[in-house]
Amino acid sequence: MSSRILKPLSFAIAMAIGLSACAKIEETAPAVTEAAKPLSIDFSKLPQLPAFNVADLDQASPICVDMNKHVNGKWLAANPVPSDKTTWGSFEMLNERSLAVQKQIAEAASTSKPAAGSNEQKIGDLYGTAALHFTPALIAALDAAG
């Protein structure tokens, strides 16, 4: 075949393929389930958030002599490093709060009746399974064993 025939033929094939890719694809709409109950977090059960307080400044320690003690002295005295941690500060406190929120979400998902196959149902099932296997007696025995 000559190039005079191949060029228009290849152009026509390329156009046909390109236009077929632009075809409108109809998708089925996801099934509408009943609205999920909004999640409510009990903030009274969460650890306190760290915040700056002027009363935490140590006025007994002059700022020009020891700025760290002036700024952090009272806070460090009131918030010692827990025995199970190697460090303790505002980021660790935020992490503890985040873990407490995650636990509340998982507990709420395990006690509610979400739609089958939903993320809430999967989280609730996983949390419920772990809660059944790790009873307080088992945890105490594991801690005793080291």
Side-chain angles (χ1 to χ4, degrees):
M1 292 188 140
S2 70
S3 69
R4 291 178 88 184
I5 296 174
L6 287 179
K7 284 183 183 179
L9 181 62
S10 57
F11 178 72
I13 292 172
M15 289 300 293
I17 292 172
L19 290 174
S20 68
C22 295
K24 189 175 188 179
I25 299 172
E26 294 183 25
E27 295 182 16
T28 58
V32 177
T33 58
E34 75 178 55
K37 189 174 108 177
L39 178 67
S40 63
I41 303 294
D42 186 2
F43 291 99
S44 65
K45 294 181 179 178
L46 297 178
Q48 187 74 15
L49 275 175
F52 177 75
N53 188 352
V54 176
D56 286 339
L57 296 176
D58 188 4
Q59 301 300 332
S61 176
I63 193 167
C64 295
V65 175
D66 190 355
M67 184 173 178
N68 184 46
K69 186 175 180 185
H70 177 79
V71 174
N72 298 319
K74 284 186 177 179
W75 190 90
L76 289 171
N79 297 288
V81 177
S83 61
D84 63 335
K85 308 279 187 218
T86 57
T87 183
W88 190 249
S90 59
F91 289 112
E92 287 81 13
M93 294 173 84
L94 287 171
N95 185 41
E96 292 290 321
R97 185 176 175 95
S98 174
L99 291 174
V101 169
Q102 291 172 38
K103 182 178 180 186
Q104 284 190 22
I105 291 170
E107 287 174 345
S110 70
T111 58
S112 67
K113 299 290 182 201
S118 67
N119 288 335
E120 291 82 8
Q121 185 254 333
K122 293 173 187 175
I123 292 169
D125 289 350
L126 181 64
Y127 183 80
T129 302
L132 289 174
H133 293 294
F134 292 101
T135 60
L138 177 62
I139 292 171
L142 291 172
D143 286 341

